[in-house]
Amino acid sequence: MAAQIVKKIKKPYKWLLTISQAGLTIALIILVLPYQLTAQTSAPDSIKSMPTWGKVIAAGALLGTGWLLDKPAWQWSKNHPCEFGHRASEFSDALGEKTIVVPALLTTFAGSYLLKDEKLKTTSWTAIKSVALTAMATEGIKIMAGRQRPFVEGDHSRFSPFNTDDRYKSMPSGHTSLAFAIFTPFAEKYSRWIYLMPATVAIGRVYQQKHWLTDVMVGGGLGWISGYLLTHSNKKIVIGPGGLVIWF
């Protein structure tokens, strides 16, 4: 009886958390992304000169292709299990595991002060901000989309919005978005070979049948956009409704 009462008390708070996360995501889109997308970056001239509708069409075509490949990629991973793939994907998971990479990132940021390395300090601080933005967007979209994970029924078109069950939090991939959010600033400032690290996370999540191909595409896109724009943006002020100014 007591357990039932506690469960009833907790339920409203769970929905309150869900609504709050959705609100944070909407706020992120309204306040941050429109500003960031207009900021000057060091992107190639061919990309910067592309009209907005062209970028939207290109992104849509990419996701559409991913959608068509969702089932074939899932079926391939299901029909080709191997010990090496299992071990490799377990290792790559660690690169997107928040309990591992976030403490490592914070340690790197603290270590940059001891080393008096300004480049490392700036890059790691950018990665921290990138993680904060990406985490809000990722969790909010997961709950609002409510996409069923591949291992449940193998149906990539099954959505249950605002479902807090982890089996319905497939899109976007949190491991992939976190990995790209962290490693993108370092890849842009040090070596783009570093992109191989978050890429292996994305491949591993699909191989383990934890996510669909489009899940890791969306997650990787969120993390990469956040990390890339925060790295290259010349302006760091976001002006919101009512004259709200946020230094980021």
Side-chain angles (χ1 to χ4, degrees), residues 160-182:
S160 179
F162 295 98
N163 191 330
T164 56
D165 188 332
D166 186 66
R167 294 177 300 172
Y168 291 86
K169 296 175 71 175
S170 188
M171 176 180 279
S173 167
H175 279 70
T176 307
S177 65
L178 177 63
F180 272 94
I182 287 178

